[in-house]
Amino acid sequence: MTRFAAAFSASSILLSLSIQPSHAQNATNILSFVDPLIGTINGGHVFAGASLPFSMAKAVADTNGGELQGGFASDGSNITGFSHMHDSGTGGSPSLGNFPIFAQAGCPDDELNNCLFTKTDRATPRINGTVEASPGYFAIELASRVRAEMTVANHTALYRFTFPETPVEANAPLSPLILADLSDLPESRINGSIAVDEHTGRITGSGTFSPSFGIGSYTLHFCADFSGAAVRDTGVFMNNRAGSQPKNLSVTSDGINNSPEILPAGAWTRFNASTEILARVGVSFISVDQACSNAEREIPSFDFPATHSAARDAWTSALDVVSIKPGGANSSLQTVFWSGLYRAMLSPQDYTGENPLWSSDEPYYDSYYCIWDSFRSIHSLITLVDPASQARMIRSLIEIYRQEGWLPDCRMSLCKGFTQGGSNADVVLTESYLKGINDGIDWETGFEALLKDAEVEPPNWAVEGRGGLKSWKELGFIPTDDFDPYGVGPFTRSISRTVEYAYDDFCVAEMARGLGRTAEYEKYVERSEYWRNMYQADSTSAINGTDTGFVGFLQPKFLNGTWGYQDPIFCSPLLNFTSCYLNPDGHETYEGSSWLYTFYVPHDMANLITTLGGPATFTRRLDYFHESGLLYIGDEQGFLDVFLYHYAGRPAKSAERAHFYIPSQFNDTVNGIPGNDDSGAMGSFAALTMMGIFPNAGQDVYFITPPFFEEVSLRNKDTGKTAVIRNVGFDASYESIYVQSATLDGKAYTKNWIGHSFFRDGGVLELTLGRNESSWGTREEDLPPSLSTRGRMGY
Ligand SMILES: *[C@@H]1O[C@H](CO)[C@@H](O)[C@H](O)[C@H]1NC(C)=O
Ligand SMILES: *[C@@H]1O[C@H](CO)[C@@H](O)[C@H](O)[C@H]1NC(C)=O
Ligand SMILES: *[C@@H]1O[C@H](CO)[C@@H](O)[C@H](O)[C@H]1NC(C)=O
Ligand SMILES: *[C@@H]1O[C@H](CO)[C@@H](O)[C@H](O)[C@H]1NC(C)=O
Ligand SMILES: *[C@@H]1O[C@H](CO)[C@@H](O)[C@H](O)[C@H]1NC(C)=O
Ligand SMILES: *[C@@H]1O[C@H](CO)[C@@H](O)[C@H](O)[C@H]1NC(C)=O
Ligand SMILES: *[C@@H]1O[C@H](CO)[C@@H](O)[C@H](O)[C@H]1NC(C)=O
Ligand SMILES: *[C@@H]1O[C@H](CO)[C@@H](O)[C@H](O)[C@H]1NC(C)=O
Ligand SMILES: *[C@@H]1O[C@H](CO)[C@@H](O)[C@H](O)[C@H]1NC(C)=O
Ligand SMILES: *[C@@H]1O[C@H](CO)[C@@H](O)[C@H](O)[C@H]1NC(C)=O
Ligand SMILES: *[C@@H]1O[C@H](CO)[C@@H](O)[C@H](O)[C@H]1NC(C)=O
Ligand SMILES: *[C@@H]1O[C@H](CO)[C@@H](O)[C@H](O)[C@H]1NC(C)=O
């Protein structure tokens, strides 16, 4: 998902190192190449705060500008608090950010009610240049001279506040006040309650909120404890008034002033003079008690350095399965690489033991936000660097199917999120199946979940499964004027849904093939060819009245079989770019044009290339697509298009395109990504592309292009084996980006793609580079597999 305007809203809907080691990097300096601030402005919406790999706790300073989706933004906006859970890179409305805390050094005139309580009142400018962000750590200093540092464990945030000896507030003696607020970032609270313990200052509370891109509601609990100063007094606040009695309150909607103007309410603890106070906040979806016990177990002694150090260790061991020899590639490119890899390991979030919806021994992950975005490369990357986590994610997806009846296409905060196209969890499951990810996975039930997506229309296909299934089965396409009284969902996107459903069916077929279920294989392979039914062979595309010369595009098609018309450039950056979200008006393609979706036949590119006029015409069309402004690389559907040249026997051109986009659109600045990161999708694109192994998601295929570094090694955590990709004749100015010849474990290798067994079993792939395109990887037998050319049953 990428979003520029609030077209559809769900709830109202560094560090850069100067040294340049020429040897492989050691674990210590990997983290110095991660800059969590990349993508914190310009629509990236990246979460910049402290996190562990896939953790539930994610702490950062929250802002009040227009880009607060991930909490913090590098936009100079003011800080309203510090909260403990976030999503990263999402579009639409902001996510989570529940129960923010806020710290003041003293109240003016030492008068409680002169402290600032509401979000609006307490919003405080940051001091420019004070933000520090690194894996597991975030720090900022406010204009109030209060410095806040934060780190996390899996379900607990730990904050260290440093106060000035003399508060900047007028006539205020040092007597810090820390409040906790019953709100969240999108101001979605439905109800909440909070209480403070007058002896310990502990603040606990619960609230029910709405998910940021889905339906329903969720309830979350927190438990805040403090260390470092004596408790002076405690109480609650409502609106901008506070008192020391009572010690608790509950809020519900008053029925008059509903959202977004949520009534400010919370609790506070004031301390005796101290220049340093630690605040530990545990969170839980189960109960306040569990929020407290999570915190007590994970950070028993408020030890900030130890918690920070454990977080750094967790990130080091998550990232050091990869190592690179830069070979002269500059530190800016290394930062793009490591930061991209890092961002792809923020979500999905491990909520195992925190799911109140059902009890089960299976792992539970959440913040699949959204699979429509993440299926294209995030899960392929996780499969490479952390296969055990990928297996747990697959198990959690299958368990969601068991418990709720369908796989999700998007999910956040225990709620069903919106489906944007097909049922793309099918792709994620199939890819893991094909790559041999098996650990504890019940593939029979996984396959049953795929069959359900393919066969049974849910009552609300806006949040799971697929719509229009009767037409799909009987007519072989989603009619633009479909008659579908069997479920509800937005009756738009008939073209993009058709091509996504076709690919999803291919994935069903692939798993059927693996499981030896021939009848199902035959059935779904046939359905995977339905993309052809919306291909209008003689349609053309003009831009500003000038014909582009390319013939044959996907076009709207009605129930009666006649064609409709949608300008093939509509929904591209060149025409009505922002008209094509989940809004109800007529657009038959989602967040992209017919130009883009006409390239989307990932399973049978050989057939598509023939259909579009053969390899030479196809290559010219793909060049035009990249060069005319029709393709926006800031939305995930564009990723695969960088590498489709491989199917036309032109792997050299894929390498050129990779360098066309990186670093021009993926760099190490705060605006260094071109669109919403979508839980790390942009990061995964950069990381995989720079390693030279971008995947065709859903298949056991990685396209080979030369890595951006002299050498890249990946250690498989399951098998302990290492796969090395080495460029011979590497040149950091990237003039030599063309593979001349290759060897795999010393033997000539001419295929322009490789399968996952290389990464599982280890080996050495050596690419000899030159300055000109060569004949390497260009022959028919060198191309990645396509359904129509691989032979019956694919054997
Ligand atoms: C790792 O790299 C850092 C920074 O370049 C260096 O200071 C340190 O000595 C290296 N450690 C090892 C074990 O090589
Ligand atoms: C801080 O930076 C922001 C832009 O990020 C700028 O608007 C503001 O003027 C700066 N403030 C100071 C005090 O320099
Ligand atoms: C940030 O705070 C400053 C000082 O209180 C105020 O002048 C400014 O308008 C605030 N900006 C926003 C976006 O809240
Ligand atoms: C955090 O949770 C992960 C599982 O998601 C686990 O592997 C890791 O050990 C936990 N970290 C700590 C410090 O408990
Ligand atoms: C809060 O709202 C939710 C959703 O409407 C409801 O189920 C729950 O009972 C409410 N809780 C309280 C304490 O009012
Ligand atoms: C806190 O300060 C008050 C006076 O403001 C004093 O009476 C009390 O003893 C102090 N408590 C501690 C534990 O220092
Ligand atoms: C406050 O706490 C008291 C004592 O536990 C309880 O009886 C009361 O219902 C609570 N009030 C609110 C508004 O939650
Ligand atoms: C790093 O190298 C890339 C590729 O050559 C180049 O585009 C970029 O400007 C360089 N960055 C710096 C900071 O030198
Ligand atoms: C089409 O025309 C408009 C207005 O003259 C111009 O801004 C735009 O760049 C043109 N687009 C193309 C692809 O030629
Ligand atoms: C087919 O259906 C479309 C959409 O309802 C309509 O515009 C068109 O006239 C119909 N064509 C025929 C031949 O009935
Ligand atoms: C296309 O965009 C224009 C304005 O930019 C708007 O008036 C028009 O309604 C849009 N068309 C569709 C079909 O969304
Ligand atoms: C960095 O990337 C952003 C986002 O794609 C782009 O707008 C910007 O021009 C790039 N900056 C440089 C110096 O290439």
Side-chain angles (χ1 to χ4, degrees):
M1 164 175 58
T2 245
R3 196 164 306 257
F4 296 88
F8 180 88
S9 159
S11 52
S12 66
I13 71 166
L14 181 133
L15 299 167
S16 88
L17 230 70
S18 47
I19 53 152
Q20 280 193 29
S22 58
H23 51 86
Q25 278 155 359
N26 66 39
T28 313
N29 66 21
I30 285 178
L31 297 192
S32 67
F33 285 103
V34 175
D35 183 355
L37 293 169
I38 293 174
T40 50
I41 195 173
N42 200 31
H45 301 168
V46 162
F47 168 74
S51 177
L52 292 184
F54 310 118
S55 65
M56 178 160 140
K58 296 199 188 313
V60 83
D62 292 323
T63 54
N64 67 352
E67 294 205 71
L68 73 173
Q69 279 82 352
F72 180 79
S74 296
D75 59 359
S77 55
N78 292 345
I79 307 301
T80 59
F82 307 93
S83 68
H84 339 293
M85 290 174 64
H86 291 86
D87 281 308
S88 185
T90 65
S93 74
S95 219
L96 298 167
N98 319 70
F99 313 124
I101 61 174
F102 191 76
Q104 295 163 73
C107 305
D109 303 320
D110 203 27
E111 170 58 48
L112 175 66
N113 268 295
N114 288 347
C115 261
L116 305 169
F117 291 95
T118 71
K119 242 183 218 181
T120 313
D121 288 347
R122 67 185 192 242
T124 306
R126 67 190 81 186
I127 298 178
N128 288 352
T130 62
V131 172
E132 286 175 49
S134 61
Y137 180 79
F138 185 90
I140 190 168
E141 187 172 331
L142 306 187
S144 59
R145 296 283 162 189
V146 174
R147 176 169 156 83
E149 297 169 275
M150 54 216 78
T151 185
V152 295
N154 274 326
H155 310 86
T156 312
L158 183 64
Y159 301 88
R160 180 164 62 191
F161 294 109
T162 311
F163 301 100
E165 297 267 358
T166 310
V168 302
E169 288 83 4
N171 194 28
L174 178 61
S175 181
L177 180 144
I178 300 182
L179 64 81
D181 181 337
L182 279 176
S183 71
D184 66 348
L185 276 170
E187 304 295 358
S188 79
R189 190 188 67 222
I190 296 164
N191 57 45
S193 60
I194 198 163
V196 59
D197 183 300
E198 61 184 309
H199 304 294
T200 62
R202 168 180 275 189
I203 303 176
T204 54
S206 305
T208 298
F209 304 90
S210 303
S212 52
F213 189 63
I215 59 170
S217 65
Y218 68 95
T219 298
L220 184 69
H221 313 275
F222 81 101
C223 176
D225 289 301
F226 307 97
S227 167
V231 173
R232 176 179 168 193
D233 53 358
T234 59
V236 297
F237 71 88
M238 188 173 279
N239 289 311
N240 60 355
R241 301 287 86 191
S244 58
Q245 288 295 338
K247 298 297 185 193
N248 61 351
L249 60 76
S250 296
V251 279
T252 181
S253 165
D254 64 11
I256 303 169
N257 293 312
N258 279 316
S259 122
E261 274 311 312
I262 296 287
L263 183 68
W268 55 271
T269 296
R270 193 157 50 158
F271 302 89
N272 278 14
S274 173
T275 54
E276 183 178 297
I277 296 179
L278 289 138
R280 179 188 70 190
V281 185
V283 285
S284 173
F285 286 100
I286 302 292
S287 65
V288 162
D289 284 351
Q290 187 155 321
C292 294
S293 63
N294 282 343
E296 287 160 358
R297 190 185 62 253
E298 292 180 344
I299 309 183
S301 59
F302 293 79
D303 188 337
F304 195 95
T307 310
H308 180 200
S309 160
R312 289 181 64 84
D313 289 349
W315 278 112
T316 300
S317 66
L319 296 171
D320 79 0
V321 297
V322 179
S323 71
I324 61 170
K325 281 187 190 165
N330 60 41
S331 68
S332 154
L333 286 169
Q334 294 177 56
T335 300
V336 170
F337 173 73
W338 290 107
S339 305
L341 187 55
Y342 162 85
R343 296 202 306 276
M345 301 178 83
L346 292 171
S347 284
Q349 303 177 13
D350 189 350
Y351 290 4
T352 305
E354 290 295 338
N355 179 357
L357 301 176
W358 58 75
S359 59
S360 124
D361 293 332
E362 287 299 277
Y364 180 71
Y365 283 69
D366 201 296
S367 285
Y368 291 96
Y369 200 173
C370 293
I371 292 176
W372 185 86
D373 308 281
S374 66
F375 87 85
R376 302 166 202 270
S377 51
I378 291 182
H379 286 281
S380 310
L381 185 55
I382 295 173
T383 302
L384 285 168
V385 297
D386 189 358
S389 289
Q390 175 66 11
R392 287 165 55 81
M393 290 166 192
I394 296 288
R395 285 169 60 186
S396 85
L397 289 170
I398 293 173
E399 186 66 11
I400 291 168
Y401 158 74
R402 276 194 202 100
Q403 300 289 342
E404 298 199 338
W406 274 273
L407 294 166
D409 192 55
C410 191
R411 192 174 176 90
M412 77 287 305
S413 328
L414 306 168
C415 294
K416 295 178 180 183
F418 296 116
T419 294
Q420 294 164 80
S423 48
N424 292 309
D426 304 350
V427 183
V428 178
L429 263 64
T430 298
E431 182 176 326
S432 282
Y433 176 78
L434 296 175
K435 291 182 174 173
I437 302 296
N438 280 320
D439 198 7
I441 301 172
D442 169 4
W443 282 118
E444 286 296 330
T445 306
F447 185 61
E448 189 185 295
L450 266 55
L451 287 178
K452 180 111 178 250
D453 279 340
E455 293 301 323
V456 184
E457 180 164 326
N460 180 3
W461 49 270
V463 296
E464 56 207 354
R466 311 184 200 169
L469 272 178
K470 188 161 189 291
S471 296
W472 181 246
K473 294 178 206 174
E474 290 174 3
L475 302 174
F477 63 104
I478 298 300
T480 298
D481 59 345
D482 199 15
F483 174 58
D484 177 9
Y486 310 104
V488 301
F491 284 111
T492 53
R493 306 160 293 138
S494 58
I495 292 173
S496 50
R497 284 166 55 210
T498 288
V499 295
E500 288 194 21
Y501 292 1
Y503 189 55
D504 295 338
D505 277 341
F506 174 76
C507 289
V508 180
E510 285 296 90
M511 200 186 292
R513 178 160 71 101
L515 293 169
R517 299 178 61 147
T518 312
E520 276 117 342
Y521 172 76
E522 303 276 358
K523 173 179 176 179
Y524 293 105
V525 146
E526 189 182 328
R527 281 170 47 167
S528 80
E529 291 166 3
Y530 287 177
W531 62 273
R532 297 191 65 89
N533 295 332
M534 292 188 97
Y535 175 75
Q536 195 187 22
D538 57 1
S539 56
T540 58
S541 170
I543 297 181
N544 283 347
T546 305
D547 186 20
T548 60
F550 297 101
V551 184
F553 291 91
L554 298 173
Q555 281 296 322
K557 194 175 180 179
F558 299 117
L559 271 166
N560 60 19
T562 65
W563 293 102
Y565 176 73
Q566 176 177 304
D567 189 325
I569 71 170
F570 187 75
C571 305
S572 81
L574 302 184
L575 187 64
N576 279 66
F577 192 31
T578 58
S579 300
C580 305
Y581 301 120
L582 289 177
N583 49 306
D585 306 317
H587 55 285
E588 301 312 321
T589 50
Y590 181 73
E591 292 191 4
S593 60
S594 163
W595 262 90
L596 180 142
Y597 284 103
T598 300
F599 284 114
Y600 193 64
V601 189
H603 51 303
D604 204 353
M605 289 304 301
N607 188 337
L608 180 70
I609 288 171
T610 305
T611 302
L612 296 182
T617 308
F618 175 85
T619 299
R620 277 198 300 113
R621 183 193 275 230
L622 196 51
D623 281 344
Y624 187 89
F625 181 51
H626 284 281
E627 288 163 11
S628 58
L630 281 163
L631 173 59
Y632 167 55
I633 200 71
D635 209 345
E636 289 75 10
Q637 321 97 301
F639 295 169
L640 189 58
D641 297 319
V642 172
F643 301 93
L644 292 181
Y645 296 102
H646 271 66
Y647 290 97
R650 303 289 300 277
K653 295 202 73 112
S654 300
E656 284 174 13
R657 286 293 163 222
H659 288 277
F660 178 78
Y661 291 113
I662 302 173
S664 73
Q665 300 211 43
F666 295 82
N667 53 54
D668 64 347
T669 68
V670 290
N671 73 338
I673 56 176
N676 300 158
D677 201 32
D678 291 321
S679 296
M682 296 289 139
S684 68
F685 170 76
L688 286 159
T689 300
M690 295 178 88
M691 288 193 285
I693 46 169
F694 197 82
N696 190 340
Q699 302 174 41
D700 186 7
V701 169
Y702 300 88
F703 305 111
I704 299 171
T705 50
F708 280 47
F709 307 111
E710 184 177 344
E711 185 174 299
V712 175
S713 305
L714 281 101
R715 178 167 45 85
N716 186 294
K717 275 189 170 169
D718 274 358
T719 63
K721 299 287 173 48
T722 298
V724 178
I725 308 171
R726 180 179 300 141
N727 284 316
V728 177
F730 178 72
D731 134 49
S733 65
Y734 301 121
E735 281 169 27
S736 297
I737 56 163
Y738 303 102
V739 179
Q740 308 295 302
S741 63
T743 59
L744 178 62
D745 298 329
K747 296 198 198 79
Y749 192 80
T750 62
K751 290 194 178 76
N752 67 28
W753 62 283
I754 198 160
H756 189 68
S757 62
F758 172 57
F759 299 102
R760 200 176 49 236
D761 303 339
V764 179
L765 177 65
E766 211 164 71
L767 309 174
T768 299
L769 307 186
R771 289 174 172 242
N772 297 107
E773 185 169 4
S774 78
S775 62
W776 175 83
T778 60
R779 299 169 309 165
E780 185 90 28
E781 60 266 38
D782 300 331
L783 312 185
S786 279
L787 177 64
S788 58
T789 52
R790 74 181 186 186
R792 206 181 114 75
M793 291 298 283
Y795 301 125

